[in-house]
Amino acid sequence: MTAYVEAVSGIRPKMRRAIIMVQDLVMVLASVALSLTLSQSRLSFEAFSSGGLACWVLIVLTAHLLFRYCGLYNTVWRFASTPDFFNILKGCGSLTVVLYLASIAFRSFFQPVAGLNERQFIVFFLVSFTIISAPRLYYRFLRDGASWRILRRAPGDAPIKQALFIGRLSEADVIVRFTRTAVPAEYAIAGIMATESDAPLGTQIQGVPVVALRARLVEVLEEYVKGTENLDLLIFGKGVEREIEDYAELVRVARHSGIAVVQFSGLSELGRGGKLVLDAVEMETIMRRSAVATDTARIGAFVGGKRVLVTGGAGSIGRVLVKRSLELGAEAVLVADNSEFGIFQLDQLIEEKDRDRLASRIVDVTDRPHMMRLVSEFKPSIIFHAAALKHVPLLEENWEAAIETNVFGTLACAEVAAECGVPQFLLISSDKAVDPSSVLGVTKRAAEQIVSSLHETQATPSPFHAGGLNGHHAGAPSLHRLGTKFIAVRFGNVFGSNGSVATIFQAQIEAGGPVTITDRRMTRYFMTVAEAVDLVIMSAADAEQRQGRDDYAIYMLDMGKPVPILEVAETMIRMAGKSPYTDIPIRFTGIRPGEKLHEALHGENEEVVKLDTAKIFGLRTDVVEWPRIEAALPALVAAMHDQDKPATLAILAGLYRAEESAGGALERAVPKTAGQIG
């Protein structure tokens, strides 16, 4: 049976269709012979005479035209259902009537035919319908018969969503078992599309058939959506988006057909039973970029048993850092964020079994005393500093807030980490920090320099003095402990993060358009949030082991090739089942303040060092010494107090341009306050 199913499935669709047509015509001829035999009719002419052969040819042509007209070849055998059998009934009935009328006309106008009456045509209709339907029914039984038993339910039961599962067979076994035992039943798996290339096609797992292998996933799914209207759900296995190249196309086919798409992420134990945890497939997961399998063992060994603090933990990146840390076995995770609603949303995403290891605090990262209390009490092993403002055009107008959060917030958290002896501090940076043209870029580059400078300072055996912000945070204790490992991880856009082009485009598409793009030439680096978070943790694990010259302050993630924003918009529109420019217009608005056409991940003066860890590089870059940063802070505070944006940005530029003297930059920027530095 398996060999038969594999043989039929391996034939190209057009060839299969031609074979089906020929088979049906043979069945029609067989039906004529059987009907005459069963009704014991004796025709008055020879079947293989010239007149008899002409009759067979006319029957074949008539049958073919009628069957095509009745839609017998517009579906797939695997999905033969009531409407399809009605088409066969209609086709056989039409053929019977046409042949009967033709026989009457022939007998009336040409010559009488003995042994032919209404009885033979009734038998012909019954026989033709039976033997044309039988192969379709038999093939579907071989391929999907087991799924009928799964989907059977008593009258009055709640509707059950019919689903296809795409993933590994080991996960399919778990999912099928839980869908059957769930009360009330929500899902029924009708078929399994295996991501393994060597899976046994046509076999069954707990009665559910394996209907496709890795090489034909898209083709089989297209057959499903064309051949049935009863498919409600497409369930992807965990991590499938990293294993198969056709992931985006599978999502597109399903969404275009109105089929919901979810992803299996685990099981939630509820008493004696259990419940599948199915997450909605976000737009971030459909980008066509190669992903590297995560070294889960390594990052698990790094995070497992540690106490983790995530600033900005309610944001898009911070949220996934929190969830991933819990999954990897962190002893406890503390979220520090100033968004009450964001923390509430995060709490709803955490599984019940993990909530006793999660704590949340509403706090502003620039509030140094508050952060000091949190860190002193929680005693984290690592701080992931993800708190930041990041919207480029908005920060051009709100530059003070950008500097407060991105520069002084980073400084405050870094000082607290060093003073409390936190083993590791990791800054989430951005490609906007490379040759910055925006307030966001300048502040992120300054934050990188703060971290890089502290990295260099903490690595030296001699103590250093850090006088805080010289009045910006009165009474703030200075750095005096050595040992904290400071690093920054630089990468590009996270697809689907709050305020990213993906979320903006998605909202515009849902509203019916137009989708707005600043410039058709604009490109950006993109990475899924799940991959970015794993690589961030991998960077921290790598940094923990490094010393001396090979100890890097800044890590850079390999983002692949930059992607045109226009291509992203067009892809997302198609994923929503619409046509770009036709259903959803695209409008170009012009480049906004601070934006670049193209971003870079490193500057010309930065050396990129390939590491033994995939997708991660070390960066050697110019580092401003800590005393110089410390000396610039009073002038920075004064310039901000005077609302002098050019002077403020000039001072920030002096924090990362190592080739320019601190005094020169400050004298040109704020000559009245230059004397205070020292």
Side-chain angles (χ1 to χ4, degrees):
M1 182 180 72
T2 301
Y4 170 70
V5 172
E6 288 182 349
V8 175
S9 299
I11 301 174
R12 293 182 178 180
K14 289 184 178 179
M15 182 64 71
R16 285 205 303 266
R17 187 179 181 189
I19 293 173
I20 292 169
M21 290 178 180
V22 172
Q23 176 184 280
D24 286 347
L25 297 179
V26 172
M27 293 296 185
V28 168
L29 295 177
S31 299
V32 173
L34 281 171
S35 64
L36 294 173
T37 301
L38 292 173
S39 61
Q40 298 180 345
S41 298
R42 296 186 181 276
L43 295 175
S44 60
F45 64 90
E46 290 294 328
F48 296 102
S49 65
S50 58
L53 292 176
C55 181
W56 302 134
V57 171
L58 289 173
I59 291 173
V60 165
L61 291 175
T62 304
H64 179 68
L65 293 174
L66 286 173
F67 286 174
R68 288 179 69 95
Y69 177 76
C70 293
L72 266 65
Y73 309 117
N74 295 334
T75 186
V76 182
W77 279 23
R78 179 183 320 159
F79 316 110
S81 57
T82 302
D84 304 303
F85 287 112
F86 177 76
N87 288 339
I88 298 173
L89 183 69
K90 184 170 60 175
C92 293
S94 301
L95 179 61
T96 302
V97 171
V98 169
L99 293 180
Y100 177 65
L101 294 176
S103 70
I104 293 176
F106 187 82
R107 284 182 292 181
S108 300
F109 298 103
F110 295 96
Q111 67 181 53
V113 180
L116 197 61
N117 54 46
E118 287 79 5
R119 181 176 58 183
Q120 282 79 27
F121 288 98
I122 293 173
V123 175
F124 170 78
F125 167 72
L126 295 174
V127 171
S128 62
F129 174 74
T130 301
I131 67 175
I132 289 175
S133 302
R136 291 166 167 82
L137 187 64
Y138 179 63
Y139 182 77
R140 180 176 176 185
F141 174 76
L142 293 182
R143 192 72 186 255
D144 298 307
S147 65
W148 297 351
R149 297 192 295 274
I150 297 172
L151 300 178
R152 187 184 300 144
R153 55 180 181 268
D157 286 354
I160 299 177
K161 293 181 179 179
Q162 300 184 30
L164 285 178
F165 174 75
I166 302 178
R168 294 177 291 277
L169 296 183
S170 56
E171 278 189 340
D173 180 64
V174 173
I175 289 175
V176 170
R177 183 172 66 252
F178 271 81
T179 54
R180 288 179 171 177
T181 57
V183 179
E186 296 181 67
Y187 314 102
I189 308 300
I192 298 167
M193 303 173 72
T195 54
E196 296 98 332
S197 299
D198 57 349
L201 182 67
T203 56
Q204 299 175 354
I205 294 179
Q206 300 187 44
V208 180
V210 177
V211 299
L213 303 183
R214 184 169 187 161
R216 297 184 66 246
L217 294 177
V218 174
E219 182 181 343
V220 172
L221 180 61
E222 288 176 338
E223 291 179 357
Y224 260 93
V225 299
K226 291 176 183 177
T228 180
E229 296 179 356
N230 299 323
L231 186 61
D232 304 304
L233 196 65
L234 189 65
I235 302 176
F236 284 104
K238 192 172 184 178
V240 167
E241 73 278 4
R242 301 181 182 181
E243 298 177 4
I244 57 177
E245 296 179 355
D246 295 326
Y247 183 85
E249 185 65 11
L250 290 165
V251 175
R252 186 196 68 78
V253 171
R255 286 185 171 167
H256 188 74
S257 304
I259 298 169
V261 183
V262 295
Q263 190 148 20
F264 171 68
S265 62
L267 298 171
S268 175
E269 297 293 339
L270 300 172
R272 295 182 180 178
K275 185 177 178 64
L276 296 177
V277 179
L278 300 176
D279 298 330
V281 172
E282 302 294 343
M283 282 294 183
E284 61 169 53
T285 59
I286 64 176
M287 286 303 297
R288 295 176 182 270
R289 64 180 310 275
S290 59
V292 173
T294 303
D295 189 346
T296 306
R298 185 175 178 186
I299 61 176
F302 173 73
V303 174
K306 282 186 169 67
R307 300 177 69 81
V308 178
L309 169 60
V310 183
T311 69
S316 49
I317 297 176
R319 184 186 306 135
V320 180
L321 272 168
V322 169
K323 292 181 66 177
R324 192 62 168 143
S325 297
L326 291 170
E327 290 172 359
L328 294 172
E331 177 188 338
V333 178
L334 176 63
V335 174
D337 202 290
N338 65 352
S339 171
E340 176 192 19
F341 183 62
I343 290 176
F344 170 78
Q345 286 181 310
L346 171 64
D347 188 63
Q348 305 306 303
L349 298 175
I350 302 302
E351 295 184 32
E352 191 67 37
K353 62 183 179 65
D354 293 328
R355 291 190 178 179
D356 59 341
R357 293 185 290 140
L358 177 67
S360 302
R361 297 291 183 270
I362 301 175
V363 58
D364 191 322
V365 292
T366 63
D367 187 344
R368 193 181 188 284
H370 197 167
M371 288 300 302
M372 178 66 74
R373 288 196 301 273
L374 287 184
V375 175
S376 299
E377 294 170 5
F378 184 69
K379 295 181 172 59
S381 301
I382 182 170
I383 296 177
F384 291 110
H385 183 56
L389 301 180
K390 59 180 184 178
H391 195 274
V392 173
L394 192 60
L395 295 187
E396 292 300 311
E397 295 294 328
N398 296 274
W399 56 274
E400 304 101 317
I403 296 171
E404 282 285 350
T405 300
N406 297 351
V407 179
F408 290 129
T410 299
L411 179 63
C413 291
E415 286 183 329
V416 167
E419 192 160 337
C420 294
V422 178
Q424 196 169 38
F425 179 94
L426 185 148
L427 166 71
I428 302 294
S429 189
S430 166
D431 57 359
K432 304 293 189 297
V434 180
D435 298 325
S437 63
S438 62
V439 170
L440 171 61
V442 170
T443 57
K444 276 294 187 181
R445 183 64 173 144
E448 276 190 358
Q449 276 298 334
I450 289 171
V451 168
S452 298
S453 184
L454 289 176
H455 175 90
E456 296 293 333
T457 305
Q458 295 287 68
T460 60
S462 58
F464 69 95
H465 170 73
L469 302 183
N470 289 349
H472 190 67
H473 293 291
S478 62
L479 294 166
H480 56 79
R481 294 189 184 183
L482 299 177
T484 299
K485 172 84 72 171
F486 288 94
I487 66 169
V489 179
R490 185 192 294 171
F491 52 95
N493 293 36
V494 173
F495 200 80
S497 62
N498 296 336
S500 70
V501 293
T503 55
I504 295 171
F505 287 170
Q506 189 166 359
Q508 291 174 337
I509 292 168
E510 290 172 355
V515 169
T516 56
I517 300 175
T518 53
D519 193 289
R520 65 171 60 249
R521 299 167 296 168
M522 186 169 287
T523 63
R524 288 294 181 268
Y525 290 98
F526 284 105
M527 177 175 281
T528 70
V529 65
E531 188 180 7
V533 163
D534 277 3
L535 291 178
V536 163
I537 298 174
M538 187 72 77
S539 300
D542 182 88
E544 186 182 45
Q545 307 300 321
R546 292 187 177 274
Q547 297 293 333
R549 175 169 172 75
D550 292 332
D551 186 12
Y552 303 101
I554 300 179
Y555 284 78
M556 183 188 82
L557 304 187
D558 182 358
M559 303 288 295
K561 295 181 179 179
V563 179
I565 299 296
L566 178 58
E567 181 180 315
V568 174
E570 291 173 343
T571 300
M572 291 185 63
I573 292 171
R574 292 189 184 99
M575 291 291 178
K578 307 290 185 181
S579 297
Y581 309 104
T582 303
D583 299 326
I584 303 293
I586 297 177
R587 181 161 53 87
F588 300 96
T589 59
I591 296 178
R592 297 172 295 181
E595 284 186 329
K596 295 179 182 178
L597 276 178
H598 312 289
E599 298 287 359
L601 289 169
H602 61 89
E604 293 181 358
N605 63 330
E606 294 179 321
E607 180 186 356
V608 179
V609 181
K610 186 175 182 179
L611 307 180
D612 56 1
T613 303
K615 294 289 184 178
I616 296 176
F617 298 95
L619 277 183
R620 290 199 178 102
T621 185
D622 295 330
V623 178
V624 177
E625 295 180 354
W626 179 255
R628 178 178 165 188
I629 293 177
E630 182 185 27
L633 295 176
L636 181 61
V637 173
M640 290 181 64
H641 182 270
D642 293 338
Q643 294 286 293
D644 191 339
K645 181 179 178 181
T648 303
L649 297 181
I651 296 170
L652 287 175
L655 297 184
Y656 64 81
R657 291 176 182 160
E659 70 278 3
E660 186 176 359
S661 69
L666 295 178
E667 286 171 7
R668 287 193 298 276
V670 279
K672 293 183 180 179
T673 59
Q676 302 173 10
I677 302 170

